[in-house]
mmCIF file of all heavy atoms in Angstrom:
data_model
loop_
_atom_site.group_PDB
_atom_site.id
_atom_site.type_symbol
_atom_site.label_atom_id
_atom_site.label_comp_id
_atom_site.label_asym_id
_atom_site.label_seq_id
_atom_site.Cartn_x
_atom_site.Cartn_y
_atom_site.Cartn_z
ATOM 1 N N LEU T 174 -25.977 0.810 10.639
ATOM 2 C CA LEU T 174 -25.526 -0.542 10.963
ATOM 3 C C LEU T 174 -24.891 -0.625 12.351
ATOM 4 O O LEU T 174 -24.384 -1.674 12.742
ATOM 5 C CB LEU T 174 -24.527 -1.025 9.904
ATOM 6 C CG LEU T 174 -25.108 -1.235 8.503
ATOM 7 C CD1 LEU T 174 -24.002 -1.513 7.508
ATOM 8 C CD2 LEU T 174 -26.116 -2.380 8.502
ATOM 9 N N GLY T 175 -24.922 0.490 13.072
ATOM 10 C CA GLY T 175 -24.398 0.497 14.434
ATOM 11 C C GLY T 175 -22.920 0.778 14.539
ATOM 12 O O GLY T 175 -22.322 0.608 15.607
ATOM 13 N N ALA T 176 -22.283 1.184 13.422
ATOM 14 C CA ALA T 176 -20.854 1.514 13.427
ATOM 15 C C ALA T 176 -20.723 3.019 13.243
ATOM 16 O O ALA T 176 -20.625 3.516 12.123
ATOM 17 C CB ALA T 176 -20.128 0.769 12.318
ATOM 18 N N ASP T 177 -20.764 3.734 14.356
ATOM 19 C CA ASP T 177 -20.773 5.194 14.304
ATOM 20 C C ASP T 177 -19.358 5.747 14.411
ATOM 21 O O ASP T 177 -18.634 5.433 15.360
ATOM 22 C CB ASP T 177 -21.629 5.739 15.455
ATOM 23 C CG ASP T 177 -22.334 7.022 15.082
ATOM 24 O OD1 ASP T 177 -22.168 7.467 13.937
ATOM 25 O OD2 ASP T 177 -23.048 7.580 15.941
ATOM 26 N N TYR T 178 -18.963 6.558 13.452
ATOM 27 C CA TYR T 178 -17.651 7.199 13.465
ATOM 28 C C TYR T 178 -17.831 8.695 13.708
ATOM 29 O O TYR T 178 -18.498 9.373 12.926
ATOM 30 C CB TYR T 178 -16.917 6.972 12.139
ATOM 31 C CG TYR T 178 -16.299 5.607 12.003
ATOM 32 C CD1 TYR T 178 -17.083 4.490 11.680
ATOM 33 C CD2 TYR T 178 -14.936 5.417 12.216
ATOM 34 C CE1 TYR T 178 -16.507 3.236 11.557
ATOM 35 C CE2 TYR T 178 -14.354 4.161 12.093
ATOM 36 C CZ TYR T 178 -15.155 3.086 11.769
ATOM 37 O OH TYR T 178 -14.596 1.829 11.651
ATOM 38 N N THR T 179 -17.240 9.197 14.788
ATOM 39 C CA THR T 179 -17.309 10.618 15.084
ATOM 40 C C THR T 179 -16.283 11.364 14.232
ATOM 41 O O THR T 179 -15.413 10.760 13.588
ATOM 42 C CB THR T 179 -17.022 10.882 16.567
ATOM 43 O OG1 THR T 179 -15.647 10.548 16.834
ATOM 44 C CG2 THR T 179 -17.921 10.039 17.461
ATOM 45 N N THR T 180 -16.373 12.688 14.269
ATOM 46 C CA THR T 180 -15.387 13.493 13.556
ATOM 47 C C THR T 180 -13.983 13.218 14.071
ATOM 48 O O THR T 180 -13.027 13.102 13.299
ATOM 49 C CB THR T 180 -15.722 14.983 13.701
ATOM 50 O OG1 THR T 180 -17.030 15.230 13.170
ATOM 51 C CG2 THR T 180 -14.713 15.843 12.950
ATOM 52 N N ASP T 181 -13.848 13.102 15.402
ATOM 53 C CA ASP T 181 -12.530 12.807 15.986
ATOM 54 C C ASP T 181 -12.007 11.456 15.516
ATOM 55 O O ASP T 181 -10.795 11.283 15.327
ATOM 56 C CB ASP T 181 -12.620 12.832 17.515
ATOM 57 C CG ASP T 181 -12.783 14.239 18.069
ATOM 58 O OD1 ASP T 181 -12.473 15.202 17.333
ATOM 59 O OD2 ASP T 181 -13.229 14.381 19.221
ATOM 60 N N ASP T 182 -12.911 10.484 15.330
ATOM 61 C CA ASP T 182 -12.495 9.173 14.815
ATOM 62 C C ASP T 182 -11.958 9.290 13.387
ATOM 63 O O ASP T 182 -11.041 8.564 12.988
ATOM 64 C CB ASP T 182 -13.671 8.184 14.816
ATOM 65 C CG ASP T 182 -14.138 7.824 16.211
ATOM 66 O OD1 ASP T 182 -13.308 7.834 17.134
ATOM 67 O OD2 ASP T 182 -15.344 7.542 16.376
ATOM 68 N N LEU T 183 -12.559 10.192 12.604
ATOM 69 C CA LEU T 183 -12.234 10.295 11.181
ATOM 70 C C LEU T 183 -10.977 11.107 10.907
ATOM 71 O O LEU T 183 -10.332 10.914 9.865
ATOM 72 C CB LEU T 183 -13.413 10.925 10.426
ATOM 73 C CG LEU T 183 -14.698 10.098 10.374
ATOM 74 C CD1 LEU T 183 -15.842 10.936 9.820
ATOM 75 C CD2 LEU T 183 -14.504 8.844 9.526
ATOM 76 N N ILE T 184 -10.623 12.025 11.795
ATOM 77 C CA ILE T 184 -9.499 12.921 11.531
ATOM 78 C C ILE T 184 -8.189 12.176 11.266
ATOM 79 O O ILE T 184 -7.464 12.518 10.308
ATOM 80 C CB ILE T 184 -9.353 13.951 12.675
ATOM 81 C CG1 ILE T 184 -10.422 15.043 12.501
ATOM 82 C CG2 ILE T 184 -7.965 14.573 12.688
ATOM 83 C CD1 ILE T 184 -10.424 16.095 13.582
ATOM 84 N N PRO T 185 -7.815 11.136 12.039
ATOM 85 C CA PRO T 185 -6.573 10.418 11.698
ATOM 86 C C PRO T 185 -6.619 9.807 10.296
ATOM 87 O O PRO T 185 -5.603 9.803 9.584
ATOM 88 C CB PRO T 185 -6.483 9.330 12.785
ATOM 89 C CG PRO T 185 -7.274 9.869 13.930
ATOM 90 C CD PRO T 185 -8.399 10.626 13.304
ATOM 91 N N TYR T 186 -7.788 9.298 9.889
ATOM 92 C CA TYR T 186 -7.917 8.754 8.535
ATOM 93 C C TYR T 186 -7.803 9.869 7.496
ATOM 94 O O TYR T 186 -7.222 9.678 6.415
ATOM 95 C CB TYR T 186 -9.260 8.041 8.384
ATOM 96 C CG TYR T 186 -9.366 6.760 9.166
ATOM 97 C CD1 TYR T 186 -9.966 6.741 10.422
ATOM 98 C CD2 TYR T 186 -8.873 5.560 8.653
ATOM 99 C CE1 TYR T 186 -10.074 5.561 11.154
ATOM 100 C CE2 TYR T 186 -8.975 4.385 9.365
ATOM 101 C CZ TYR T 186 -9.569 4.390 10.619
ATOM 102 O OH TYR T 186 -9.669 3.222 11.334
ATOM 103 N N ALA T 187 -8.370 11.025 7.805
ATOM 104 C CA ALA T 187 -8.302 12.159 6.880
ATOM 105 C C ALA T 187 -6.859 12.624 6.707
ATOM 106 O O ALA T 187 -6.452 13.023 5.604
ATOM 107 C CB ALA T 187 -9.174 13.304 7.389
ATOM 108 N N ARG T 188 -6.084 12.581 7.786
ATOM 109 C CA ARG T 188 -4.676 12.969 7.678
ATOM 110 C C ARG T 188 -3.908 11.993 6.780
ATOM 111 O O ARG T 188 -3.065 12.404 5.971
ATOM 112 C CB ARG T 188 -4.050 13.023 9.070
ATOM 113 C CG ARG T 188 -4.539 14.221 9.902
ATOM 114 C CD ARG T 188 -4.038 14.153 11.321
ATOM 115 N NE ARG T 188 -4.465 15.305 12.092
ATOM 116 C CZ ARG T 188 -4.583 15.311 13.412
ATOM 117 N NH1 ARG T 188 -4.289 14.218 14.119
ATOM 118 N NH2 ARG T 188 -4.974 16.414 14.045
ATOM 119 N N LEU T 189 -4.209 10.701 6.921
ATOM 120 C CA LEU T 189 -3.582 9.719 6.039
ATOM 121 C C LEU T 189 -4.011 9.951 4.590
ATOM 122 O O LEU T 189 -3.205 9.811 3.664
ATOM 123 C CB LEU T 189 -3.973 8.303 6.476
ATOM 124 C CG LEU T 189 -3.366 7.805 7.793
ATOM 125 C CD1 LEU T 189 -3.978 6.469 8.176
ATOM 126 C CD2 LEU T 189 -1.853 7.669 7.675
ATOM 127 N N ALA T 190 -5.291 10.317 4.390
ATOM 128 C CA ALA T 190 -5.787 10.580 3.038
ATOM 129 C C ALA T 190 -5.083 11.786 2.427
ATOM 130 O O ALA T 190 -4.773 11.800 1.227
ATOM 131 C CB ALA T 190 -7.298 10.808 3.071
ATOM 132 N N THR T 191 -4.811 12.798 3.238
ATOM 133 C CA THR T 191 -4.092 13.974 2.744
ATOM 134 C C THR T 191 -2.688 13.588 2.295
ATOM 135 O O THR T 191 -2.218 14.013 1.225
ATOM 136 C CB THR T 191 -4.010 15.054 3.847
ATOM 137 O OG1 THR T 191 -5.327 15.530 4.134
ATOM 138 C CG2 THR T 191 -3.153 16.229 3.385
#
Side-chain angles (χ1 to χ4, degrees):
L174 293 172
D177 213 1
Y178 282 78
T179 67
T180 301
D181 288 341
D182 293 330
L183 294 170
I184 282 178
Y186 290 96
R188 288 173 178 156
L189 289 173
T191 294

